[in-house]
Amino acid sequence: MSHAMCNPAMVSRSVLGSQTSSKSVTETMSGSHEFVIKGYSLTKGMGIGKYIVSETFIVGGFQWAIYFFPDGRDPKDNAAYVSVFVALQSKSTNVRALFDLTLLDLCKKGEHKVHSHFSHSLTIGPYTLINHGSMWGYTRFFKRRHLETSIFLKDDCLKINCTIAVLVSSIDSSQLNTIQVPESDIGEHFGMLLEDEESFDVTFSALLHFVYRDTLLEDEELFMLDSSFFPSLSESFIAKLLAAGEKYGLPRLMLMCESILCKDISVDSVAYIFALADRYCATHLKSMCQKFSAENFDGEFPCLTFKPNSTFEFIANYFLASVMHSDG
């Protein structure tokens, strides 16, 4: 007849309250496209607001294209400037990005003409293209008469490089769906053990020995029990080591202690050992005590002595009563 009587106070754990967190992450997905314009002179005079356009390219999952206006985009400039823009070709809305439009030095002197949004990102922030066809660029990208005598025009050819960094924002919710882990309190328990001068030297050294070596101390005297000590079994070294194993969640250490205590089960000790096993949820040891009682008791029990009002007294008496009930 099995009854679970683990004291809740002995197995309680300090668990953190429900606590979740999330993190907003904004990153960029970058890419570049080079647009080569051959026969520049043949594009002059096509008209203000008229353009030639690159092939569509993809950056950050969106389609883009470079627009070159040989006679400029704004009638007020009277075709004095060339205009260059990059346009959103996808049917998307509110795409935020950083841009860089560079007229490449074809004479390979490394003197490129750069119009960059990246260098101003902290002051003006990314640019938002609200829908398909939205553009970013410069109406007065380069004065035409300067362009036509520059290092950027060679063999009637121009090269424009466009770099785009699309902003992608997301919520990192990796911590939202996790099993809450109890806050570590092993330091507190070890601290209490340190303050217990009577048990520290042996119990704490034995616990560390098990943690580091996975074995018990090789000192048989520490584990010996005699009949006169049964009423104070909870104060024995093996009992304290069993308690430590239960408190710190070391099932192998508990089984080692249970194995040692199991060898001392007798008519005189069974009730005391049962009480100890129940107190620290040593299920294997409890079962052995119950099996022993069923095989050896026939209605008569040894006289038990306990400390006044001890928990052991209550559990042991309960054990004897349950055995007597099963025999009856």
Side-chain angles (χ1 to χ4, degrees):
M1 183 174 179
S2 176
H3 293 268
M5 296 188 61
C6 292
N7 187 347
M10 300 305 300
V11 296
S12 63
R13 292 287 185 270
S14 175
V15 180
L16 288 172
S18 178
Q19 181 179 350
T20 59
S21 65
S22 60
K23 177 172 60 177
S24 174
V25 179
T26 301
E27 302 174 306
T28 59
M29 299 180 66
S30 302
S32 298
H33 182 79
E34 186 177 274
F35 183 28
V36 179
I37 301 169
K38 289 188 175 182
Y40 162 76
S41 61
L42 300 178
T43 66
K44 295 172 61 176
M46 66 186 301
I48 296 173
K50 303 295 183 179
Y51 56 81
I52 56 177
V53 62
S54 71
E55 286 192 354
T56 300
F57 57 96
I58 297 176
V59 175
F62 300 98
Q63 294 181 328
W64 308 88
I66 301 170
Y67 284 72
F68 178 71
F69 298 80
D71 294 325
R73 190 183 181 200
D74 191 340
K76 292 186 294 185
D77 290 329
N78 198 25
Y81 293 86
V82 296
S83 303
V84 181
F85 286 81
V86 57
L88 177 66
Q89 300 293 90
S90 296
K91 294 181 179 180
S92 305
T93 59
N94 299 316
V95 179
R96 302 179 70 230
L98 298 171
F99 303 95
D100 181 297
L101 288 169
T102 302
L103 194 57
L104 299 178
D105 172 13
L106 299 185
C107 294
K108 299 182 179 180
K109 294 182 179 180
E111 299 176 3
H112 309 301
K113 184 172 181 60
V114 181
H115 290 273
S116 179
H117 188 195
F118 288 80
S119 59
H120 305 292
S121 61
L122 288 178
T123 55
I124 62 177
Y127 189 79
T128 301
L129 289 87
I130 60 174
N131 52 33
H132 173 267
S134 295
M135 292 184 172
W136 178 91
Y138 294 87
T139 301
R140 296 183 173 184
F141 186 78
F142 209 125
K143 211 161 194 176
R144 278 181 55 176
R145 63 185 178 89
H146 292 161
L147 173 63
E148 292 168 4
T149 59
S150 72
I151 58 175
F152 307 111
L153 181 63
K154 183 179 180 181
D155 299 328
D156 206 24
C157 178
L158 294 173
K159 286 186 180 180
I160 301 172
N161 186 80
C162 175
T163 298
I164 303 173
V166 178
L167 275 68
V168 179
S169 296
S170 62
I171 295 295
D172 181 359
S173 58
S174 59
Q175 300 180 55
L176 293 178
N177 302 312
T178 57
I179 296 174
Q180 299 301 316
V181 178
E183 186 179 25
S184 174
D185 57 358
I186 193 168
E188 178 183 348
H189 290 311
F190 279 165
M192 294 172 62
L193 194 57
L194 285 170
E195 293 174 2
D196 186 351
E197 296 180 358
E198 294 183 359
S199 63
F200 164 70
D201 288 341
V202 178
T203 308
F204 185 74
S205 296
L207 184 58
L208 288 183
H209 183 93
F210 171 79
V211 170
Y212 283 102
R213 299 191 177 184
D214 199 31
T215 60
L216 295 179
L217 288 173
E218 295 181 2
D219 189 339
E220 295 184 1
E221 291 186 4
L222 288 174
F223 301 99
M224 290 180 62
L225 297 175
D226 58 68
S227 59
S228 64
F229 199 62
F230 291 150
S232 301
L233 183 61
S234 63
E235 298 177 8
S236 67
F237 169 73
I238 188 63
K240 291 180 179 179
L241 201 56
L242 177 65
E246 190 274 335
K247 178 178 289 186
Y248 301 122
L250 302 171
R252 177 172 163 77
L253 176 60
M254 290 185 65
L255 285 173
M256 288 179 174
C257 295
E258 289 181 69
S259 176
I260 292 172
L261 287 164
C262 182
K263 296 175 183 178
D264 287 298
I265 294 178
S266 66
V267 172
D268 295 325
S269 69
V270 63
Y272 300 102
I273 293 177
F274 175 86
L276 186 71
D278 189 84
R279 184 174 185 179
Y280 298 118
C281 298
T283 55
H284 294 83
L285 188 58
K286 280 180 62 176
S287 296
M288 294 303 295
C289 290
Q290 291 169 326
K291 180 181 179 181
F292 179 88
S293 67
E295 295 174 351
N296 293 276
F297 289 141
D298 187 23
E300 295 184 3
F301 304 95
C303 179
L304 305 179
T305 59
F306 298 91
K307 290 184 177 181
N309 301 318
S310 69
T311 304
F312 262 33
E313 179 180 11
F314 171 77
I315 297 176
N317 284 334
Y318 171 83
F319 167 74
L320 294 178
S322 66
V323 173
M324 187 180 300
H325 176 75
S326 63
D327 287 345

